[in-house]
Amino acid sequence: MNELLVGDIGGTNARFALWRDNQLHAVRVLPTADYTSLEQAIQAYLHEQGIARGELAAICLAVAGPVDGDEFQFTNNHWRLSRRAFCDMLQVKQLLLLNDFSAMALGMTRLLPGEFQAVCAGDADPARPALVIGPGTGLGVGSLLHLNQQQWMAVPGEGGHVDLPVGNAREAAIHQQMQSQIGHVSAETVLSGGGLVRLYQAMCALDGVQPVHLSPAEVTEAALAGEPQALAVIEQFCCFLGRVAGNNVLTLGARGGVYIVGGVIPRFAELFLRSGFAASFADKGCMSGYFAGIPVWLVTAEFSGLLGAGVALQQTMSLPRN
């Protein structure tokens, strides 16, 4: 057999699938806490699929962190990986490690109807970069380039760590409140799961309101239930995301469109779609007209990282060999 295995390794769960006919098959989600090593988790998956060691042609894993060198320490769980030992144990000749947000970006090339919805209407220019940005545990930012009919390139970056942009007096007050507490305020300081709570606490302090919510889920649930303070926090979160996304579009020339990904926004998708995101996105003074016609999509696909790992593996396998 010449099976291809793809994986998307997170802090809590590891997702695995077989890549056949340019599609995912037999997707499984395994808790990382249940396995002492990545190899053990993969062996459990292969056993479930009736695949023996030595029957895999190649593996591609999307992982959080830099992917150079033989040794890899997962930044969000207890696993470690030696490329050489890994390949020897599983009897696989080719292992491709891919930055998790690069995989997420490549996954945008395989979205199906129903897995995304329009936030801002427009026509993407395929000759220009697309921006992929996603609030989750942190704030991921990357770009996607269409090289030719069959090839895409994901370019990772650290755009989540740019300074948090300020567009009005209220945002300046929020920034000052947060800076007095933590020092430097990056975009990720606010635009992440933990950042949502940090924003809630800052806005409560400014408004003289006693904070009662301790987690992102609590803030989100309160907003969905109509609580005014939580609603104001979600609105401000969306506006900050618009400003950061707009800044990245100008920097990249990203007229190929913008994909909003990650686990945070889909939890309050309807509030996001009604928010001030679009206005803040294009609020760039003399350059505001630049944003006319740039499409923005909210992505709700469940396994974009796995899809991207499959795309990366397929592109690698199809390259000519010297």
Side-chain angles (χ1 to χ4, degrees):
M1 296 177 68
N2 291 300
E3 296 282 9
L4 304 177
L5 176 71
V6 294
D8 182 12
I9 314 302
T12 303
N13 294 308
R15 301 163 182 84
F16 298 108
L18 299 175
W19 186 254
R20 296 171 178 162
D21 303 321
N22 209 23
Q23 296 180 10
L24 298 175
H25 295 267
V27 176
R28 296 292 183 271
V29 181
L30 304 181
T32 57
D34 290 355
Y35 302 90
T36 59
S37 67
L38 173 61
E39 290 90 339
Q40 186 187 55
I42 290 178
Q43 285 179 308
Y45 174 80
L46 294 177
H47 178 75
E48 180 184 310
Q49 303 305 317
I51 299 173
R53 286 188 298 172
E55 294 183 342
L56 290 174
I59 298 176
C60 180
L61 301 175
V63 296
V67 294
D68 297 325
D70 179 70
E71 296 286 337
F72 181 82
Q73 171 66 59
F74 290 85
T75 59
N76 48 9
N77 65 43
H78 60 286
W79 292 345
R80 299 180 66 92
L81 171 68
S82 162
R83 292 176 188 256
R84 186 177 298 106
F86 178 93
C87 291
D88 288 345
M89 176 176 286
L90 294 175
Q91 298 176 21
V92 63
K93 293 182 178 180
Q94 185 170 6
L95 169 64
L96 176 63
L97 295 184
L98 184 68
N99 174 268
D100 58 347
F101 210 77
S102 293
M104 178 70 76
L106 288 171
M108 299 303 98
T109 68
R110 295 296 188 274
L111 292 177
L112 300 174
E115 294 183 330
F116 61 97
Q117 58 191 120
V119 179
C120 300
D123 295 312
D125 182 347
R128 303 294 292 276
L131 171 69
V132 185
I133 182 168
T137 303
L139 177 63
V141 179
S143 55
L144 182 66
L145 307 176
H146 191 190
L147 302 181
N148 55 51
Q149 187 174 2
Q150 300 295 329
Q151 294 286 315
W152 298 78
M153 176 184 292
V155 183
E158 295 298 336
H161 295 283
V162 301
D163 296 338
L164 182 72
V166 169
N168 54 48
R170 172 67 170 178
E171 292 175 358
I174 292 170
H175 187 284
Q176 185 174 19
Q177 174 66 27
M178 299 181 79
Q179 188 177 47
S180 69
Q181 298 295 317
I182 63 173
H184 178 253
V185 182
S186 69
E188 185 176 88
T189 302
V190 168
L191 297 174
S192 58
L196 181 60
V197 177
R198 196 173 289 115
L199 178 61
Y200 168 73
Q201 293 170 339
M203 292 178 65
C204 283
L206 288 173
D207 297 336
V209 175
Q210 182 65 35
V212 295
H213 306 306
L214 302 177
S215 69
E218 289 181 16
V219 176
T220 299
E221 290 167 6
L224 293 173
E227 180 188 298
Q229 187 69 16
L231 279 170
V233 171
I234 294 295
E235 172 66 17
Q236 186 60 65
F237 186 97
C238 296
C239 290
F240 275 135
L241 180 59
R243 296 195 189 285
V244 174
N247 284 353
N248 277 280
V249 165
L250 288 177
T251 300
L252 295 170
R255 299 196 62 85
V258 178
Y259 297 91
I260 307 294
V261 300
V264 174
I265 298 297
R267 298 182 185 277
F268 49 83
E270 292 304 317
L271 294 177
F272 174 73
L273 294 172
R274 299 197 302 266
S275 75
F277 169 88
S280 298
F281 176 62
D283 182 19
K284 301 301 178 190
C286 65
M287 288 301 294
S288 296
Y290 183 85
F291 293 83
I294 297 179
V296 179
W297 303 281
L298 173 61
V299 177
T300 56
E302 189 174 7
F303 298 115
S304 295
L306 274 179
L307 280 168
V311 172
L313 187 55
Q314 179 139 340
Q315 290 188 162
T316 301
M317 299 288 286
S318 64
L319 291 175
R321 308 291 180 184
N322 292 328

